[in-house]
Amino acid sequence: MSLPLVFDVDAVVLDIEGTTSATGYVVDVLYPYSRSRFGALLAERSDDPAVLRAVAQVRELLGEPDADAVRVEKALDEWLDDDVKATPLKTLQGLIWSEGFARGDLVSHFYDDVVPVLRRWHGAGVRLHVYSSGSVAAQRAWFASSPDGDLLPLVDGLYDTENAGPKQEPASYRRIAEASGVAAGRLLFLSDRPGELDAARAAGWHAVGIRRPGEPYYEQGVGDHAQAGSFDEISVSVSTSGSTT
Ligand SMILES: [Mg+2]
């Protein structure tokens, strides 16, 4: 981990939990907050198209087309307990967290090295995208309500399991490359999970494993991927050799 990692790419795609931010914050602060708000959300926003769609997805996953709000809330609580990455759970959590952040109940977390480096990369013309199992709504709220203020102006694209697909499948990374208009070889993915790094590499991307002490995947490591203990160890620039002047 002593040598600097140098990349000539057009865009960096960021995982959140364990990479830009502490997984513990999500589990310790955000999960209990969402649990306390599922019932109210299902009752107060039952006409909201996003809520309606998520409830239909819950019923489908349960195989119970007539499941009522109490049954749906119980399923959401159980998935939260078991850390099931169910899309409707993520969608509804995203809505709840958006409200919580907007109200000022919640402030997100970023490791100290992250924001200065993101500002530097953005200033150098590197495009920044997010790819997290948390929903796009949750990602938006997370970046808008950081301890350093609104970071959304730094971010070009937000991808989740709904608009891109599962994080351990190469097809999801091909989808993001296509959607962002950046060639696979010009993309760098940063994540703490080896399965995600494998999938990105299989899609032709560059990938660096982020290893932060205390994170769930720290001991396991990132396999044979390049690795960094903080964003400071990674150097990213955009080559101008291909441009016409
Ligand atoms: Mg992660």
Side-chain angles (χ1 to χ4, degrees):
M1 281 197 271
S2 57
L3 289 177
L5 298 157
V6 180
F7 294 91
D8 175 8
V9 293
D10 293 325
V12 177
V13 180
L14 305 158
D15 169 57
I16 295 178
E17 289 179 43
T19 301
T20 62
S21 308
T23 303
Y25 180 93
V26 176
V27 173
D28 298 340
V29 177
L30 293 192
Y31 281 19
Y33 186 80
S34 60
R35 180 190 298 277
S36 73
R37 298 284 306 162
F38 282 139
L41 179 77
L42 294 174
E44 293 164 9
R45 292 175 62 176
S46 58
D47 295 335
D48 183 321
V51 173
L52 283 171
R53 193 157 56 100
V55 167
Q57 288 171 335
V58 171
R59 290 175 174 146
E60 193 181 331
L61 288 169
L62 291 173
E64 299 175 23
D66 301 320
D68 62 13
V70 172
R71 175 71 183 108
V72 168
E73 184 181 356
K74 184 164 173 285
L76 293 167
D77 285 342
E78 287 170 356
W79 290 340
L80 204 54
D81 288 336
D82 299 337
D83 199 24
V84 175
K85 308 271 186 196
T87 293
L89 171 65
K90 296 292 172 185
T91 303
L92 295 172
Q93 284 180 313
L95 294 174
I96 288 168
W97 294 335
S98 296
E99 287 185 349
F101 282 116
R103 271 202 299 264
D105 289 351
L106 299 168
V107 176
S108 66
H109 171 269
F110 285 82
Y111 281 108
D112 287 342
D113 54 287
V114 172
V115 175
V117 172
L118 294 185
R119 291 196 194 285
R120 191 158 74 230
W121 290 346
H122 181 261
V126 179
R127 283 195 266 163
L128 302 174
H129 302 292
V130 177
Y131 181 27
S132 166
S133 56
S135 69
V136 164
Q139 296 170 22
R140 207 178 285 286
W142 189 263
F143 276 77
S145 303
S146 91
D148 295 299
D150 184 3
L151 303 179
L152 276 178
L154 302 179
V155 178
D156 276 318
L158 302 169
Y159 300 93
D160 62 12
T161 56
E162 198 160 8
N163 67 8
K167 293 189 75 181
Q168 307 208 15
E169 291 182 7
S172 304
Y173 296 82
R174 285 194 276 271
R175 222 167 271 131
I176 291 171
E178 192 174 345
S180 62
V182 180
R186 303 290 302 167
L187 284 157
L188 170 64
F189 182 53
L190 306 182
S191 172
D192 61 324
R193 294 188 65 166
E196 298 176 4
L197 297 164
D198 290 345
R201 182 166 61 188
W205 294 27
H206 299 279
V208 172
I210 303 298
R211 295 190 64 197
R212 299 184 184 277
E215 287 293 338
Y217 287 88
Y218 177 69
E219 296 298 337
Q220 180 184 338
V222 292
D224 62 349
H225 292 279
Q227 58 180 285
S230 80
F231 283 21
D232 290 319
E233 296 171 25
I234 307 166
S235 173
V236 177
S237 61
V238 183
S239 157
T240 54
S241 60
S243 64
T244 52
T245 52

